[in-house]
């Protein structure tokens, strides 16, 4: 028990430090912990001095027990899988019992009935998890406070002790101040966690979109993503004046799979991907077009630079030794490269077809080479 309390206390203080450094990272668990802290501080600081001054000693002992229960339940249940459920049950129980005790003892003039506003605000946090439950609780709370009012005002009307009139007034101000402070904090926490949830969902959406655009093996763009990039209007809007499209293929890749296995084949594809990224420019787009085939889109470069980069890449891959289980594997690439400096006269399907034909020519003429062509194709 003590070890659990110690470990949870350390985790609690570490989380509070994290939140103070960056409150935008708060989770619902963090919010509930902060609400517990607000309740503990409010109960411990707002009320005991007033009760002591007016000799309401039973209320002091009630607050001592209340603070102890709030603190211990928070710490002992901290980081449990059902922490959220435990905390909500504790909050509602605390507020219901407090209103029952103090409205019975001091009537509604004490201001304890204002805690119904906190119960209603807690429903918003429950709504983040379960909207139907939040609505049911709101109805239940209104029924509860209605019955409490009826019981206290109609069935057993409260007759205040005139000797405690000042106490009632100050107690009401204490309650009103505590509720206003708590409401402000609740609204801040609710807004913060909503923003946090929104940002998290946007990150998840961006991540899902990135995954849908990325080849799982190499991390390169996939065919779908590259087709999105090959939008003529978008390229021209981004100031692209010329482009080159290259299709390359790993020579004799089937032999690699047959000799060394598919795991080695995947490793070869990953290495080729890395080499293509290393040798082409950062602004060039490299895509795994399918299997051992890659497509590269280069924007705003001249024809001689295209040849230079392509030949350098082909030579670097040819000279690279791949080590696999103590054996050296040599590979090479064949390129088909087309160049267009007039986007109004370029049809991307035609460019892809031309690059594919050049690749085929390179394959039947010995492989490990790059074929180049300037393309002028009038769109019908």
């Amino acid at each position: 028990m003590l070890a659990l309390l110690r470990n949870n206390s350390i985790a609690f203080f570490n989380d509070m430090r994290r939140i103070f450094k960056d409150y935008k990272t708060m989770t619902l668990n963090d919010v509930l912990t902060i609400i517990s802290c607000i309740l503990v501080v409010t109960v411990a600081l707002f009320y005991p001095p007033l009760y002591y001054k007016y000799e309401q000693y039973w209320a002091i002992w009630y607050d001592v027990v209340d603070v102890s229960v709030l603190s211990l339940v928070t710490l002992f249940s901290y980081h449990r899988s059902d922490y959220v459920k435990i905390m909500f049950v504790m909050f509602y129980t605390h507020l219901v019992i407090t209103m029952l005790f103090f409205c019975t003892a001091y009537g509604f003039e004490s201001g304890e009935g204002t805690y119904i506003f906190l119960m209603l605000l807690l429903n918003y946090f429950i709504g983040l998890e379960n909207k139907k439950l939040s609505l049911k609780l709101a109805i239940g709370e209104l029924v509860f406070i209605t019955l409490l009012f009826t019981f206290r005002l109609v069935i057993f009307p409260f007759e205040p002790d005139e000797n405690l009139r000042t106490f009632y007034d100050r107690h009401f101000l204490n309650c009103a101040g505590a509720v206003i402070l708590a409401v402000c904090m609740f609204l801040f926490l609710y807004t913060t966690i909503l923003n946090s949830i929104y940002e998290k969902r946007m990150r998840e959406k961006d991540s899902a979109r990135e995954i849908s655009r990325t080849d799982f093996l190499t991390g390169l763009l996939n065919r779908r993503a590259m087709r999105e990039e090959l939008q003529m209007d978008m390229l021209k809007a981004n100031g692209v004046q010329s482009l080159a499209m290259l299709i390359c293929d790993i020579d004799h890749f089937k032999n690699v799979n047959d000799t060394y296995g598919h795991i080695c084949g995947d490793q070869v594809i990953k290495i080729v991907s890395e080499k293509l990224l290393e040798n082409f420019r950062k602004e060039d787009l490299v895509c795994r077009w399918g299997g051992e085939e890659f497509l590269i889109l280069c924007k705003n470069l001249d024809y001689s630079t295209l040849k230079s980069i392509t030949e350098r890449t082909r030579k670097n891959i040819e000279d690279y030794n791949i080590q696999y289980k103590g054996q050296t594997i040599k590979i090479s690439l064949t390129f088909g490269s087309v160049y267009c400096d007039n986007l109004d006269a370029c049809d991307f399907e035609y460019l892809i077809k031309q690059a594919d034909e050049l690749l085929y020519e390179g394959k039947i003429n010995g492989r490990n080479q790059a074929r180049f062509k300037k393309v002028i194709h009038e769109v019908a």
Side-chain angles (χ1 to χ4, degrees):
M1 292 283 287
L2 290 177
L4 176 64
L5 183 61
R6 183 183 68 252
N7 293 336
N8 285 358
S9 297
I10 293 172
F12 167 81
F13 285 112
N14 287 338
D15 286 342
M16 290 303 100
R17 288 174 59 189
R18 170 180 57 81
I19 292 169
F20 279 118
K21 288 181 179 179
D22 184 10
Y23 67 88
K24 294 181 180 179
T25 61
M26 277 194 295
T27 63
L28 182 57
N29 286 32
D30 296 331
V31 167
L32 296 180
T33 304
I34 293 172
I35 291 175
S36 179
C37 293
I38 293 171
L39 290 177
V40 167
V41 171
T42 301
V43 173
L45 297 182
F46 270 63
Y47 300 101
L50 183 65
Y51 296 145
Y52 181 79
K53 180 178 180 179
Y54 289 93
E55 300 180 348
Q56 304 299 304
Y57 300 120
W58 75 270
I60 295 177
W61 284 110
Y62 178 88
D63 281 357
V64 170
V65 173
D66 194 20
V67 168
S68 301
V69 171
L70 287 170
S71 302
L72 290 175
V73 171
T74 301
L75 291 176
F76 273 113
S77 62
Y78 202 63
H79 283 183
R80 279 176 54 120
S81 59
D82 55 353
Y83 178 71
V84 170
K85 185 183 297 184
I86 291 172
M87 295 301 286
F88 276 124
V89 170
M90 181 183 72
F91 294 149
Y92 283 109
T93 302
H94 159 77
L95 293 171
V96 168
I97 292 177
T98 300
M99 281 193 287
L100 283 173
F101 268 61
F102 284 88
C103 288
T104 301
Y106 300 130
F108 288 102
E109 294 190 13
S110 65
E112 295 287 346
T114 55
Y115 286 168
I116 191 66
F117 293 112
L118 301 185
M119 295 178 69
L120 292 169
L121 281 177
L122 282 172
N123 293 341
Y124 283 92
F125 294 100
I126 285 188
L128 296 173
E129 300 276 315
N130 190 325
K131 291 183 179 179
K132 289 184 178 179
L133 178 59
S134 175
L135 180 60
K136 290 177 181 178
L137 281 172
I139 295 172
E141 288 153 16
L142 293 175
V143 171
F144 164 74
I145 198 68
T146 301
L147 292 175
L148 186 59
F149 265 83
T150 303
F151 177 82
R152 202 70 186 87
L153 297 179
V154 178
I155 300 176
F156 293 100
F158 178 71
E159 296 181 4
D161 185 344
E162 291 302 322
N163 295 324
L164 294 175
R165 173 56 62 184
T166 304
F167 167 77
Y168 295 143
D169 292 342
R170 293 187 179 180
H171 194 277
F172 184 90
L173 291 175
N174 270 24
C175 290
V179 168
I180 291 171
L181 175 63
V183 166
C184 292
M185 287 299 299
F186 280 23
L187 292 176
F188 168 76
L189 293 172
Y190 185 70
T191 303
T192 301
I193 197 169
L194 277 184
N195 290 336
S196 177
I197 291 171
Y198 174 77
E199 290 176 2
K200 180 181 178 182
R201 287 179 180 173
M202 290 303 295
R203 287 195 298 270
E204 290 173 350
K205 184 178 179 181
D206 291 343
S207 177
R209 183 175 182 275
E210 188 63 28
I211 290 172
S212 71
R213 289 169 49 85
T214 305
D215 174 62
F216 74 96
L217 177 63
T218 62
L220 299 177
L221 295 176
N222 57 25
R223 182 187 285 254
R224 172 186 174 183
M226 183 59 88
R227 285 204 172 272
E228 290 177 0
E229 296 291 339
L230 295 176
Q231 299 296 322
M232 172 69 75
D233 292 339
M234 183 176 69
L235 288 172
K236 289 193 291 187
N238 290 331
V240 177
Q241 297 179 345
S242 65
L243 61 85
M245 189 177 296
L246 302 86
I247 296 179
C248 63
D249 185 271
I250 303 175
D251 298 327
H252 301 297
F253 183 72
K254 186 176 183 300
N255 292 342
V256 174
N257 277 335
D258 292 343
T259 305
Y260 302 101
H262 289 281
I263 295 177
C264 177
D266 288 346
Q267 188 66 25
V268 168
I269 289 174
K270 289 171 70 174
I271 290 173
V272 170
S273 303
E274 293 168 0
K275 292 298 176 184
L276 290 174
L277 289 173
E278 287 175 9
N279 284 274
F280 280 89
R281 304 173 304 170
K282 289 183 179 180
E283 60 267 32
D284 297 332
L285 300 177
V286 182
C287 158
R288 187 182 178 193
W289 197 239
E292 70 275 18
E293 195 172 63
F294 302 86
L295 187 145
I296 301 128
L297 180 66
C298 304
K299 296 173 279 190
N300 292 333
L301 83 170
D302 55 60
Y303 191 53
S304 60
T305 304
L306 169 65
K307 285 186 173 183
S308 174
I309 294 176
T310 306
E311 284 293 347
R312 181 189 67 200
T313 303
R314 184 195 63 77
K315 188 69 170 61
N316 286 345
I317 291 175
E318 178 189 14
D319 294 341
Y320 188 75
N321 295 324
I322 299 175
Q323 301 298 323
Y324 183 77
K325 292 185 177 181
Q327 300 188 61
T328 300
I329 303 173
K330 302 287 289 185
I331 60 168
S332 61
L333 296 185
T334 301
F335 288 83
S337 308
V338 293
Y339 179 83
C340 179
D341 58 4
N342 180 7
L343 268 63
D344 291 325
C346 289
D347 183 317
F348 288 126
E349 294 299 330
Y350 181 80
L351 291 177
I352 292 173
K353 181 181 177 182
Q354 289 291 302
D356 212 32
E357 290 177 357
L358 290 171
L359 174 65
Y360 180 72
E361 289 177 12
K363 288 287 189 181
I364 63 175
N365 284 282
R367 294 181 171 83
N368 190 21
Q369 57 188 271
R371 295 272 173 147
F372 301 92
K373 182 178 181 181
K374 280 189 175 182
V375 174
I376 299 297
H377 173 64
E378 294 295 337
V379 181

